Amino acid sequence: MDALRVPPMPPGIEKVTSALLATRRLCRYVEGTSKEDEAALLEADLARMHGRRFAVACHSGGAALFLALKSLGVGAGDRVLVSSYTLSPVPGAVVHAGASCVFVDTTRDLIVDTDHLRALLSNAPPRTYKAFLLSYMRGHLPDLETVGTLCDEHGVALVEDAAHALGARVHGRRIGTEGTVSCFSFQAYKHVNAGEGGALVTDEEDVAARAILLSGSYGFYAKHLARPSDATFRKWIPWTPNCSMRMSCLTAALVRAQLPLLEGRVVRWRDACRDMQAALCASFGDKVSFPTPLEGTVPAPSSVQFYLAEPPCCDLVPGLKWVGDPEPKGFSACMELSDDAVRRFDEHAATLFDLRVPYDLTPEEAEVVAERVYSACHK
């Protein structure tokens, strides 16, 4: 099994990119033309798709997180709550913004522990935490109603890290509509694959204007389509640095071509993950268990997480990672920070495994993979 198999690019994408290359207008802003560029068109698409007023496209999901935090006013000396089950770009964005992380515990179902979140917020003086950077790590969706209520009660801005949840829904609502700012990734192996790329959406005028300026708009902010008023920009121009994070037109063209295919890809990948779970159950019986999704959540997975009492030899199974591995490997790396919540999650991670699932996995292939994992446990 090739664990790196991802959805094919849509028919005709070569014509789109070739036409763009022929124009040689690949940079984020093109002078001397009134034609709308691909990045601005993508922002309008994303805002419309999520029912949001504004969107900002940038060069990576991690950049989107950084822009979100800085646009909310996060800076030196601030403290930001972060999900303990996450990847290194998430705490990295907090450090990049000049702030420090306080981790929120993760349950065995791989979602934020709302009791721990409540305790952190209730036991701290007002305005202790500037924001909560909530990761939907591997697409696991928490109790967003409770999270949102707690953040509102304590004046904490909620930033959704939806890098692994584009296309997912909670109680019928699309992920990316809950936070003050919501961030997405178009990195390789995602449901929309541009190799790299990110975006944020928001309804807040000041946040959107600051994010556009921070992303590197120079004096071209009027070229953005899903943007605030000129008056809002003028308020922030003198005080906002240019961090050069704007998405290129070529990346935007790749993303735009795939957005109409998102819903179908979500269904197909969800079926593949379901087949993989069934095959693991058939091989391991009651020796394997899985996180239980909350009622009303419809995830958009591209991998399967499961617990085993006996660790397999991950090197023998393509795409399999041991989450508790003390030596970071590949994309599994996370910052090593001393924190009670991280230590609590370490208990879950000790027997937790992550298996990337090919987009077009067949039930027969799933059985073969499950047998390999089983054999790796009993070699």
Side-chain angles (χ1 to χ4, degrees):
M1 179 195 75
D2 180 2
L4 307 184
R5 283 186 341 232
V6 295
M9 287 293 174
I13 187 64
E14 293 85 359
K15 288 185 178 180
V16 173
T17 53
S18 294
L20 185 56
L21 289 170
T23 69
R24 294 173 289 173
R25 297 171 181 260
L26 306 180
C27 62
R28 47 191 179 244
Y29 303 103
V30 181
E31 293 185 85
T33 177
S34 60
K35 186 176 180 181
E36 295 162 341
D37 67 57
E38 288 289 335
L41 290 168
L42 172 61
E43 290 168 336
D45 291 342
L46 290 171
R48 184 166 49 250
M49 174 180 172
H50 292 90
R52 296 284 206 153
R53 298 173 64 197
F54 314 115
V56 184
C58 52
H59 59 54
S60 71
L65 296 175
F66 164 77
L67 291 172
L69 293 173
K70 290 303 290 184
S71 300
L72 287 165
V74 173
D78 288 331
R79 305 176 80 191
V80 174
L81 295 166
V82 179
S83 310
S84 61
Y85 182 37
T86 190
L87 290 176
S88 53
V90 180
V94 176
V95 174
H96 192 184
S100 60
C101 301
V102 176
F103 287 94
V104 184
D105 201 6
T106 298
T107 72
R108 189 173 174 81
D109 291 322
L110 304 184
I111 58 176
V112 63
D113 185 333
T114 52
D115 289 336
H116 187 225
L117 175 63
R118 182 181 290 105
L120 283 170
L121 292 172
S122 299
N123 295 330
R127 295 183 293 279
T128 295
Y129 305 111
K130 193 87 171 189
F132 178 23
L133 188 43
L134 172 62
S135 288
Y136 305 133
M137 181 64 174
R138 292 296 187 257
H140 296 280
L141 306 175
D143 179 356
L144 280 173
E145 183 176 354
T146 298
V147 170
T149 298
L150 288 171
C151 287
D152 288 343
E153 288 176 351
H154 294 272
V156 175
L158 176 61
V159 178
E160 292 182 274
D161 167 26
H164 297 177
L166 183 65
R169 295 178 184 271
V170 174
H171 298 299
R173 294 189 62 182
R174 188 183 291 278
I175 284 294
T177 60
E178 301 293 335
T180 306
V181 192
S182 303
C183 303
F184 306 98
S185 172
F186 309 117
Q187 195 180 45
Y189 315 124
K190 302 290 195 302
H191 288 74
V192 173
N193 165 27
E196 192 63 272
L200 64 84
V201 295
T202 184
D203 290 325
E204 300 294 325
E205 288 210 7
D206 288 323
V207 170
R210 295 178 77 178
I212 288 171
L213 293 169
L214 281 162
S215 73
S217 67
Y218 297 89
F220 297 112
Y221 55 83
K223 285 182 173 285
H224 288 251
L225 299 178
R227 66 180 179 89
S229 66
D230 289 353
T232 307
F233 282 100
R234 286 193 293 270
K235 183 167 58 174
W236 292 105
I237 286 172
W239 323 109
T240 308
N242 179 331
C243 295
S244 295
M245 293 182 169
R246 180 85 172 135
M247 179 184 284
S248 74
C249 290
L250 189 57
T251 299
L254 291 173
V255 175
R256 290 191 71 219
Q258 295 174 73
L259 283 182
L261 307 177
L262 175 61
E263 299 300 332
R265 288 179 175 183
V266 167
V267 172
R268 177 67 191 90
W269 229 322
R270 191 183 297 132
D271 289 345
C273 289
R274 190 176 294 122
D275 288 340
M276 191 68 252
Q277 284 186 323
L280 287 167
C281 284
S283 291
F284 284 91
D286 60 4
K287 302 298 183 182
V288 64
S289 61
F290 304 91
T292 302
L294 290 182
E295 186 178 351
T297 61
V298 182
S302 59
S303 60
V304 167
Q305 292 70 50
F306 55 95
Y307 292 96
L308 289 177
E310 301 176 54
C313 181
C314 298
D315 293 338
L316 300 180
V317 184
L320 181 64
K321 302 286 185 183
W322 174 32
V323 179
D325 193 334
E327 180 183 347
K329 295 176 181 177
F331 291 110
S332 65
C334 188
M335 290 179 66
E336 186 174 338
L337 298 174
S338 178
D339 188 281
D340 286 342
V342 173
R343 285 195 286 272
R344 283 192 290 269
F345 177 65
D346 282 346
E347 297 175 9
H348 304 320
T351 57
L352 178 64
F353 297 86
D354 179 72
L355 180 62
R356 180 176 289 147
V357 175
Y359 168 77
D360 54 355
L361 183 80
T362 65
E364 293 74 22
E365 287 178 314
E367 291 175 5
V368 171
V369 174
E371 289 170 4
R372 286 184 183 177
V373 176
Y374 185 83
S375 298
C377 285
H378 300 84
K379 65 186 179 91

Short mmCIF file of all heavy atoms in Angstrom, two decimals, residues 199-234:
data_model
loop_
_atom_site.label_atom_id
_atom_site.label_comp_id
_atom_site.label_asym_id
_atom_site.label_seq_id
_atom_site.Cartn_x
_atom_site.Cartn_y
_atom_site.Cartn_z
N ALA A 199 -5.01 29.67 4.94
CA ALA A 199 -5.96 30.79 4.88
C ALA A 199 -6.63 30.94 6.23
O ALA A 199 -6.67 30.00 7.03
CB ALA A 199 -7.00 30.56 3.79
N LEU A 200 -7.16 32.12 6.47
CA LEU A 200 -8.00 32.35 7.65
C LEU A 200 -9.28 33.05 7.21
O LEU A 200 -9.30 33.74 6.19
CB LEU A 200 -7.26 33.16 8.72
CG LEU A 200 -6.82 34.59 8.41
CD1 LEU A 200 -7.93 35.60 8.65
CD2 LEU A 200 -5.62 34.97 9.27
N VAL A 201 -10.33 32.85 8.00
CA VAL A 201 -11.60 33.53 7.77
C VAL A 201 -12.06 34.15 9.09
O VAL A 201 -11.77 33.62 10.17
CB VAL A 201 -12.69 32.58 7.22
CG1 VAL A 201 -12.32 32.08 5.83
CG2 VAL A 201 -12.94 31.41 8.17
N THR A 202 -12.77 35.25 9.01
CA THR A 202 -13.24 35.95 10.20
C THR A 202 -14.36 36.91 9.83
O THR A 202 -14.52 37.25 8.65
CB THR A 202 -12.09 36.72 10.88
OG1 THR A 202 -12.55 37.32 12.10
CG2 THR A 202 -11.55 37.81 9.97
N ASP A 203 -15.11 37.35 10.83
CA ASP A 203 -16.12 38.40 10.63
C ASP A 203 -15.67 39.73 11.23
O ASP A 203 -16.40 40.73 11.13
CB ASP A 203 -17.45 37.98 11.29
CG ASP A 203 -18.12 36.84 10.54
OD1 ASP A 203 -18.02 36.80 9.30
OD2 ASP A 203 -18.75 35.99 11.20
N GLU A 204 -14.49 39.75 11.85
CA GLU A 204 -14.00 40.94 12.55
C GLU A 204 -13.22 41.85 11.60
O GLU A 204 -12.19 41.45 11.06
CB GLU A 204 -13.12 40.52 13.72
CG GLU A 204 -13.81 39.64 14.75
CD GLU A 204 -14.92 40.38 15.47
OE1 GLU A 204 -14.77 41.59 15.71
OE2 GLU A 204 -15.95 39.73 15.79
N GLU A 205 -13.69 43.08 11.43
CA GLU A 205 -13.05 44.02 10.50
C GLU A 205 -11.60 44.31 10.86
O GLU A 205 -10.71 44.27 10.00
CB GLU A 205 -13.84 45.34 10.43
CG GLU A 205 -15.16 45.23 9.71
CD GLU A 205 -15.55 46.54 9.03
OE1 GLU A 205 -14.74 47.47 9.01
OE2 GLU A 205 -16.68 46.60 8.52
N ASP A 206 -11.35 44.63 12.13
CA ASP A 206 -9.99 44.97 12.53
C ASP A 206 -9.05 43.77 12.37
O ASP A 206 -7.90 43.93 11.94
CB ASP A 206 -9.97 45.46 13.98
CG ASP A 206 -10.57 46.85 14.13
OD1 ASP A 206 -10.37 47.67 13.22
OD2 ASP A 206 -11.24 47.10 15.14
N VAL A 207 -9.52 42.59 12.71
CA VAL A 207 -8.70 41.39 12.57
C VAL A 207 -8.35 41.16 11.10
O VAL A 207 -7.20 40.89 10.76
CB VAL A 207 -9.43 40.16 13.16
CG1 VAL A 207 -8.70 38.87 12.80
CG2 VAL A 207 -9.56 40.29 14.67
N ALA A 208 -9.34 41.27 10.23
CA ALA A 208 -9.10 41.03 8.81
C ALA A 208 -8.14 42.06 8.23
O ALA A 208 -7.22 41.72 7.47
CB ALA A 208 -10.43 41.05 8.05
N ALA A 209 -8.33 43.32 8.57
CA ALA A 209 -7.45 44.37 8.04
C ALA A 209 -6.01 44.16 8.51
O ALA A 209 -5.06 44.26 7.72
CB ALA A 209 -7.95 45.74 8.48
N ARG A 210 -5.84 43.86 9.78
CA ARG A 210 -4.49 43.63 10.30
C ARG A 210 -3.85 42.42 9.64
O ARG A 210 -2.66 42.43 9.31
CB ARG A 210 -4.53 43.46 11.81
CG ARG A 210 -4.98 44.71 12.55
CD ARG A 210 -5.05 44.49 14.06
NE ARG A 210 -3.73 44.51 14.67
CZ ARG A 210 -3.53 44.39 15.98
NH1 ARG A 210 -4.57 44.25 16.81
NH2 ARG A 210 -2.31 44.42 16.48
N ALA A 211 -4.64 41.35 9.44
CA ALA A 211 -4.10 40.14 8.82
C ALA A 211 -3.67 40.40 7.39
O ALA A 211 -2.61 39.91 6.93
CB ALA A 211 -5.13 39.01 8.87
N ILE A 212 -4.45 41.17 6.64
CA ILE A 212 -4.09 41.49 5.26
C ILE A 212 -2.81 42.31 5.22
O ILE A 212 -1.91 42.06 4.41
CB ILE A 212 -5.26 42.23 4.58
CG1 ILE A 212 -6.41 41.26 4.30
CG2 ILE A 212 -4.80 42.88 3.27
CD1 ILE A 212 -7.70 41.92 3.84
N LEU A 213 -2.70 43.30 6.10
CA LEU A 213 -1.50 44.12 6.14
C LEU A 213 -0.29 43.31 6.60
O LEU A 213 0.80 43.40 6.00
CB LEU A 213 -1.72 45.32 7.08
CG LEU A 213 -2.75 46.35 6.62
CD1 LEU A 213 -3.07 47.32 7.75
CD2 LEU A 213 -2.26 47.10 5.38
N LEU A 214 -0.45 42.50 7.63
CA LEU A 214 0.63 41.66 8.11
C LEU A 214 1.08 40.66 7.04
O LEU A 214 2.27 40.36 6.93
CB LEU A 214 0.19 40.89 9.35
CG LEU A 214 0.18 41.63 10.68
CD1 LEU A 214 -0.69 40.89 11.70
CD2 LEU A 214 1.59 41.80 11.22
N SER A 215 0.14 40.15 6.26
CA SER A 215 0.47 39.15 5.25
C SER A 215 1.31 39.72 4.12
O SER A 215 1.91 38.96 3.34
CB SER A 215 -0.80 38.50 4.69
OG SER A 215 -1.48 39.41 3.84
N GLY A 216 1.37 41.05 4.02
CA GLY A 216 2.24 41.65 3.02
C GLY A 216 1.51 42.33 1.89
O GLY A 216 1.90 42.18 0.72
N SER A 217 0.49 43.10 2.20
CA SER A 217 -0.31 43.73 1.14
C SER A 217 0.33 45.01 0.60
O SER A 217 -0.12 45.53 -0.42
CB SER A 217 -1.71 44.06 1.65
OG SER A 217 -1.66 45.06 2.65
N TYR A 218 1.38 45.49 1.27
CA TYR A 218 1.95 46.78 0.88
C TYR A 218 0.80 47.81 0.79
O TYR A 218 0.03 47.93 1.72
CB TYR A 218 2.71 46.67 -0.46
CG TYR A 218 3.89 45.75 -0.41
CD1 TYR A 218 3.77 44.39 -0.67
CD2 TYR A 218 5.15 46.24 -0.07
CE1 TYR A 218 4.87 43.54 -0.61
CE2 TYR A 218 6.27 45.40 -0.01
CZ TYR A 218 6.11 44.05 -0.27
OH TYR A 218 7.19 43.22 -0.21
N GLY A 219 0.71 48.53 -0.33
CA GLY A 219 -0.40 49.46 -0.51
C GLY A 219 -1.48 48.92 -1.41
O GLY A 219 -2.31 49.68 -1.93
N PHE A 220 -1.51 47.58 -1.58
CA PHE A 220 -2.45 46.96 -2.52
C PHE A 220 -3.64 46.30 -1.83
O PHE A 220 -4.29 45.42 -2.41
CB PHE A 220 -1.72 45.90 -3.36
CG PHE A 220 -0.63 46.45 -4.23
CD1 PHE A 220 0.70 46.15 -3.98
CD2 PHE A 220 -0.94 47.27 -5.30
CE1 PHE A 220 1.70 46.66 -4.77
CE2 PHE A 220 0.06 47.78 -6.12
CZ PHE A 220 1.40 47.48 -5.84
N TYR A 221 -3.94 46.70 -0.61
CA TYR A 221 -5.03 46.04 0.11
C TYR A 221 -6.37 46.18 -0.61
O TYR A 221 -7.28 45.36 -0.44
CB TYR A 221 -5.14 46.57 1.54
CG TYR A 221 -5.29 48.07 1.66
CD1 TYR A 221 -6.53 48.67 1.52
CD2 TYR A 221 -4.19 48.88 1.93
CE1 TYR A 221 -6.68 50.05 1.64
CE2 TYR A 221 -4.32 50.25 2.05
CZ TYR A 221 -5.57 50.83 1.89
OH TYR A 221 -5.72 52.19 2.01
N ALA A 222 -6.52 47.20 -1.46
CA ALA A 222 -7.78 47.38 -2.19
C ALA A 222 -8.00 46.27 -3.21
O ALA A 222 -9.13 46.08 -3.69
CB ALA A 222 -7.80 48.74 -2.88
N LYS A 223 -6.94 45.53 -3.57
CA LYS A 223 -7.09 44.43 -4.52
C LYS A 223 -7.75 43.20 -3.90
O LYS A 223 -8.15 42.29 -4.61
CB LYS A 223 -5.72 44.05 -5.10
CG LYS A 223 -5.19 45.05 -6.14
CD LYS A 223 -3.86 44.58 -6.70
CE LYS A 223 -3.42 45.48 -7.86
NZ LYS A 223 -4.20 45.22 -9.09
N HIS A 224 -7.82 43.16 -2.58
CA HIS A 224 -8.51 42.05 -1.92
C HIS A 224 -10.02 42.20 -2.13
O HIS A 224 -10.56 43.31 -2.06
CB HIS A 224 -8.20 42.04 -0.43
CG HIS A 224 -6.80 41.63 -0.11
ND1 HIS A 224 -6.49 40.43 0.48
CD2 HIS A 224 -5.61 42.25 -0.31
CE1 HIS A 224 -5.18 40.33 0.64
NE2 HIS A 224 -4.63 41.43 0.16
N LEU A 225 -10.68 41.09 -2.35
CA LEU A 225 -12.13 41.13 -2.59
C LEU A 225 -12.92 40.94 -1.29
O LEU A 225 -13.90 41.64 -1.06
CB LEU A 225 -12.52 40.05 -3.60
CG LEU A 225 -11.87 40.19 -4.99
CD1 LEU A 225 -12.28 39.03 -5.89
CD2 LEU A 225 -12.25 41.52 -5.63
N ALA A 226 -12.50 39.99 -0.45
CA ALA A 226 -13.20 39.73 0.82
C ALA A 226 -12.47 40.51 1.91
O ALA A 226 -11.78 39.95 2.76
CB ALA A 226 -13.20 38.24 1.13
N ARG A 227 -12.64 41.83 1.90
CA ARG A 227 -11.85 42.71 2.77
C ARG A 227 -12.74 43.73 3.48
O ARG A 227 -13.87 44.00 3.06
CB ARG A 227 -10.81 43.46 1.94
CG ARG A 227 -11.41 44.44 0.94
CD ARG A 227 -10.33 45.14 0.14
NE ARG A 227 -10.90 46.07 -0.84
CZ ARG A 227 -11.18 47.34 -0.59
NH1 ARG A 227 -10.96 47.84 0.62
NH2 ARG A 227 -11.69 48.12 -1.52
N PRO A 228 -12.21 44.34 4.56
CA PRO A 228 -12.94 45.41 5.26
C PRO A 228 -12.87 46.72 4.47
O PRO A 228 -12.28 46.79 3.38
CB PRO A 228 -12.19 45.53 6.58
CG PRO A 228 -11.28 44.37 6.66
CD PRO A 228 -11.00 43.94 5.26
N SER A 229 -13.41 47.76 5.07
CA SER A 229 -13.45 49.08 4.44
C SER A 229 -12.07 49.73 4.44
O SER A 229 -11.19 49.38 5.24
CB SER A 229 -14.41 49.99 5.19
OG SER A 229 -13.92 50.23 6.50
N ASP A 230 -11.87 50.69 3.54
CA ASP A 230 -10.60 51.43 3.49
C ASP A 230 -10.33 52.15 4.81
O ASP A 230 -9.18 52.27 5.24
CB ASP A 230 -10.62 52.44 2.35
CG ASP A 230 -10.56 51.78 0.98
OD1 ASP A 230 -10.36 50.54 0.94
OD2 ASP A 230 -10.70 52.48 -0.03
N ALA A 231 -11.37 52.64 5.46
CA ALA A 231 -11.20 53.35 6.72
C ALA A 231 -10.58 52.45 7.79
O ALA A 231 -9.75 52.89 8.59
CB ALA A 231 -12.55 53.89 7.19
N THR A 232 -10.96 51.18 7.78
CA THR A 232 -10.39 50.24 8.75
C THR A 232 -8.91 50.05 8.49
O THR A 232 -8.10 50.01 9.42
CB THR A 232 -11.12 48.89 8.69
OG1 THR A 232 -12.53 49.09 8.84
CG2 THR A 232 -10.64 47.96 9.79
N PHE A 233 -8.54 49.93 7.20
CA PHE A 233 -7.12 49.79 6.88
C PHE A 233 -6.33 51.01 7.31
O PHE A 233 -5.24 50.89 7.87
CB PHE A 233 -6.95 49.55 5.37
CG PHE A 233 -7.26 48.16 4.95
CD1 PHE A 233 -8.48 47.85 4.38
CD2 PHE A 233 -6.34 47.13 5.12
CE1 PHE A 233 -8.77 46.56 3.98
CE2 PHE A 233 -6.62 45.84 4.73
CZ PHE A 233 -7.85 45.55 4.16
N ARG A 234 -6.84 52.18 7.04
CA ARG A 234 -6.11 53.41 7.37
C ARG A 234 -5.81 53.50 8.87
O ARG A 234 -4.81 54.07 9.29
CB ARG A 234 -6.89 54.63 6.90
CG ARG A 234 -6.84 54.82 5.38
CD ARG A 234 -7.33 56.20 4.98
NE ARG A 234 -8.76 56.37 5.23
CZ ARG A 234 -9.71 56.09 4.35
NH1 ARG A 234 -9.40 55.62 3.15
NH2 ARG A 234 -10.99 56.28 4.64
#
